[in-house]
Amino acid sequence: MKSSKFSPTEIAKILKEFESGKSLDTIVREYGVHKVPFYKWRQRYGGMEVSELKKVKQLEEEKRQTQAHVCQTSLGVGYGKICHRKKALKPCVKRALVRELKELYPRGISKACRIFKTSRSSLNYQSVKDDQVLMDELSQLSKDHPREGVSFPKIERYKR
């Protein structure tokens, strides 16, 4: 997990400066923070004091550690790291992990689905897309215009 570049004290200071009337562009330049994390901080921690902010950060970390511990004890070491990540897994990866867990632990599929936060109905999902027409058209365009390559914007220009 990547640690935050800014401490809770600095986050509170930045938010107070913004509330006192300092422009966002000035704050961005001065502290080197991008606008997206700033707005997330503002949404999550707006109006909090430094002590409250530290307490919230500590509680979030404790919650994450508890969830990871529960996951490790219930599944084993290998899946403990996978089941609780900060970054979300793609649905196809979740389906594969649920199927693998089902084979290892024959208790049932419901528990595995709950651990990876996916629905049981998504396990039976089959894609109905038929991209063959598009693929044929793209290959024909790349044959007609070999110097252009298969770059999507260039091919889109020829399709119009």
Side-chain angles (χ1 to χ4, degrees), residues 3-34:
S3 62
S4 177
K5 183 179 173 181
F6 297 95
S7 68
T9 311
E10 291 173 321
I11 293 172
K13 180 182 173 188
I14 291 170
L15 291 173
K16 282 192 188 259
E17 284 184 15
F18 181 75
E19 289 171 3
S20 67
K22 202 170 195 180
S23 73
L24 181 61
D25 293 330
T26 309
I27 291 173
V28 166
R29 267 185 265 121
E30 188 175 323
Y31 292 101
V33 62
H34 293 282

Side-chain angles (χ1 to χ4, degrees), residues 98 101 108-123:
V98 167
L101 270 179
I109 204 160
S110 297
K111 185 174 183 179
C113 288
R114 253 183 283 129
I115 289 168
F116 291 107
K117 295 179 181 130
T118 186
S119 65
R120 288 176 54 194
S121 62
S122 71
L123 297 177

Side-chain angles (χ1 to χ4, degrees), residues 112-157:
C113 288
R114 253 183 283 129
I115 289 168
F116 291 107
K117 295 179 181 130
T118 186
S119 65
R120 288 176 54 194
S121 62
S122 71
L123 297 177
N124 302 322
Y125 174 77
Q126 293 291 326
S127 179
V128 293
K129 293 179 183 176
D130 184 23
D131 293 335
Q132 191 57 42
V133 175
L134 179 64
M135 295 302 291
D136 292 340
E137 191 175 332
L138 288 175
S139 64
Q140 184 60 39
L141 283 171
S142 65
K143 287 176 186 174
D144 293 344
H145 306 282
R147 291 186 65 202
E148 297 295 329
V150 289
S151 150
F152 186 74
K154 292 178 181 176
I155 290 176
E156 274 296 315
R157 190 172 356 136

